[in-house]
Amino acid sequence: VVGLQCGGSDGYSGISANPALGAAVDLLVRHGGTAILSETPEIYGAEHLLTHRAASPAIAAKLMQRLKWWEDYTALHGGDMNNNPSPGNKAGGITTILEKSLGAVAKAGSSGLMEVLEYAEPVRTSGLVFMDTPGYDPVSATGQVAGGANLICFTTGRGSTYGCKPTPSLKLATNTAMFQRMQLDMDFDCGGIVDGRLSIAEAGQVLFQLMIDTASGAR
């Protein structure tokens, strides 16, 4: 059961690491595993990419209900869901929140959406599921682990060093330059997709094997 996270995103996140993780998720689901997509505010504007492959209209409606809750919550506090990305995201090359959302949804691959869960709700469904969490990575990952995730895959372009005890965490670098600067913190370089050394499918296959090895106890 793999929790999907992204943080410290950059302009390459939606091009390299997130699609590579999505390809690995499709392999995971095909082999009977479960992937948990979360960070509800960070799929805003790209939710149609999930609702159109929901297993039932009721599941699609549950996702839209959670987004409506976040719209109401942010409005109550004078905020706006359709807002600009963080200063760090902007510095990394992301221009709009919708661009960030499209990249975030790419982590889910192309598998069907089988369930929508509340925060930290136990995950009892195989395949791709969505858990309603904030976009703040430590809080989001904590909900995933509480729900049953025994591995976290975390994509980053600017070098987030967040880990997640008690689960192993795989950090996926969106670009090779950052991977080389932070080799002690990063586990997989998706920058090969950017410079043509790897296809998304090839990166997904390597990452899937790394996920299996890590979940099986490899350091």
Side-chain angles (χ1 to χ4, degrees):
V1 182
V2 181
L4 312 177
Q5 290 288 324
C6 57
S9 301
D10 70 351
Y12 292 118
S13 294
I15 298 171
S16 60
N18 289 0
L21 182 52
V25 163
D26 287 341
L27 291 171
L28 177 73
V29 169
R30 194 179 308 160
H31 286 79
T34 298
I36 311 170
L37 182 67
S38 299
E39 301 177 293
T40 312
E42 296 187 8
I43 68 160
Y44 190 73
E47 63 272 9
H48 62 286
L49 299 176
L50 297 171
T51 56
H52 92 276
R53 50 190 167 114
S56 70
I59 292 171
K62 285 171 71 174
L63 181 60
M64 296 308 296
Q65 287 168 3
R66 299 319 304 157
L67 283 163
K68 178 62 166 59
W69 184 93
W70 279 97
E71 286 181 325
D72 293 343
Y73 177 77
T74 52
L76 180 66
H77 294 276
D80 182 6
M81 290 281 283
N82 191 24
N83 208 334
N84 289 323
S86 69
N89 292 153
K90 290 180 182 179
I94 293 178
T95 59
T96 68
I97 197 68
L98 300 180
E99 182 182 339
K100 183 176 182 179
S101 295
L102 289 168
V105 170
K107 299 195 301 292
S110 60
S111 300
L113 179 64
M114 307 310 294
E115 184 57 282
V116 174
L117 304 167
E118 299 283 342
Y119 182 81
E121 184 177 349
V123 179
R124 297 190 172 95
T125 304
S126 296
L128 174 66
V129 303
F130 187 89
M131 178 180 286
D132 181 27
T133 77
Y136 184 50
D137 309 317
V139 177
S140 180
T142 296
Q144 292 176 333
V145 172
N150 51 21
L151 178 68
I152 298 292
C153 284
F154 192 127
T155 68
T156 183
R158 291 175 54 76
S160 169
T161 56
Y162 172 70
C164 188
K165 289 183 178 181
T167 66
S169 301
L170 292 175
K171 303 304 286 286
L172 318 178
T174 70
N175 62 90
T176 300
M178 187 272 288
F179 177 81
Q180 291 175 342
R181 287 196 307 271
M182 300 183 64
Q183 290 190 40
L184 294 178
D185 293 291
M186 298 295 119
D187 298 292
F188 186 73
D189 177 19
C190 297
I193 296 170
V194 177
D195 59 28
R197 288 180 286 116
L198 282 174
S199 68
I200 291 173
E202 289 169 339
Q205 181 66 58
V206 175
L207 178 55
F208 173 63
Q209 188 60 56
L210 181 60
M211 291 160 61
I212 295 299
D213 292 344
T214 305
S216 299
R219 290 184 179 273

